[in-house]
């Protein structure tokens, strides 16, 4: 049986494939429609103008849902592991879940409030998604190290921490350069004064976004041994 069909592994697998498709499809449609420059647009630029805005909004909304489902399942896995063999305070795991869910809400805001229509709301949602997402990966990397070697291999811990470190290093210049750009626009000319800020910020944004994707890819193995049971109880007289 394929690894992503075992247990609950299909959840992070679907999150990774769906989110990757959301970024790629929106980018391709936006470029072919002539709405953005093929060279390093912001991710949000590829979901601003119809028809790609509808594709982007729908797919990112579902990605936010899958992200929340993945994070909650991961929370329950760590909770059960910690009960079996204590390695970390439960508050640590809970805080990472809350931050992760806030990041998913930020994704929903990004998907539903277009960059040019309501830039303040859109940028606020993006800030929540990226900052909370990066902190979530850092906290979960620490949890992975604490549960090593019983629940995670050292190589998995190192991969997760490396992705977290790269994402953390990228998110700072992403925010700094984006804040220095004086105007929100889709078309950029290399001769414009803010062009360098745009390029640096866009590179960092794509780096962080795909950092999240590769990070959740490492959850697939952990989710293979997890099963979901739904029980129904009826109380009282019928």
């Amino acid at each position: 049986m394929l690894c992503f069909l075992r247990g609950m592994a299909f959840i992070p697998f679907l999150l990774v494939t769906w989110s990757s498709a959301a970024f790629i499809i929106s980018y391709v449609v936006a470029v072919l429609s002539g709405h953005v420059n093929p060279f390093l647009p912001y991710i949000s630029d590829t979901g601003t103008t119809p028809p790609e805005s509808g594709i982007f909004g729908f797919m990112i909304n579902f990605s936010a849902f899958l992200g929340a489902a993945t994070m909650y399942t991961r929370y329950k896995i760590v909770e059960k592991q910690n009960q079996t063999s204590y390695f970390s305070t439960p508050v640590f795991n809970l805080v990472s879940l809350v931050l992760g869910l806030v990041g998913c809400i930020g994704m929903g805001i990004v998907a539903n409030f277009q960059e040019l229509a309501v830039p303040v709301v859109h940028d606020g949602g993006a800030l929540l998604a990226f900052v909370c997402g990066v902190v979530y990966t850092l906290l979960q990397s620490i949890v992975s190290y604490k549960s090593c070697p019983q629940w995670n291999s050292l190589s998995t811990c190192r991969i997760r921490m490396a992705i977290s470190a790269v994402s953390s290093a990228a998110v700072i210049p992403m925010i700094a350069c984006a804040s220095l750009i004086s105007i929100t626009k889709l078309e950029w000319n290399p001769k414009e004064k803010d062009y360098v800020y745009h390029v640096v910020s866009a590179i960092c944004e794509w780096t962080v976004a795909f950092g999240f994707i590769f990070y959740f890819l490492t959850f697939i193995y952990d989710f293979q041994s997890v099963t979901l049971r739904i029980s129904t109880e009826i109380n009282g007289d019928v």
Side-chain angles (χ1 to χ4, degrees), residues 46 94 137 152 160 162 177 209:
T46 66
L94 179 60
T137 61
N152 292 283
R160 288 176 181 170
C177 290

Side-chain angles (χ1 to χ4, degrees), residues 190 202 230:
I230 299 176

Side-chain angles (χ1 to χ4, degrees), residues 95-165:
V95 169
S96 68
L97 172 65
V98 172
L99 286 173
L101 294 179
V102 171
C104 291
I105 293 173
M107 285 181 63
I109 294 173
V110 168
N112 293 288
F113 296 89
Q114 272 72 40
E115 180 182 27
L116 297 181
V118 273
V120 174
V121 178
H122 178 91
D123 292 345
L127 190 65
L128 278 179
F130 282 110
V131 173
C132 291
V134 166
V135 176
Y136 173 83
T137 61
L138 283 170
L139 292 177
Q140 283 299 314
S141 297
I142 295 172
V143 168
S144 297
Y145 267 105
K146 287 179 174 291
S147 62
C148 179
Q150 182 173 1
W151 301 110
N152 292 283
S153 65
L154 184 58
S155 59
T156 299
C157 295
R158 287 173 175 170
I159 291 171
R160 288 176 181 170
M161 186 57 75
I163 295 173
S164 300

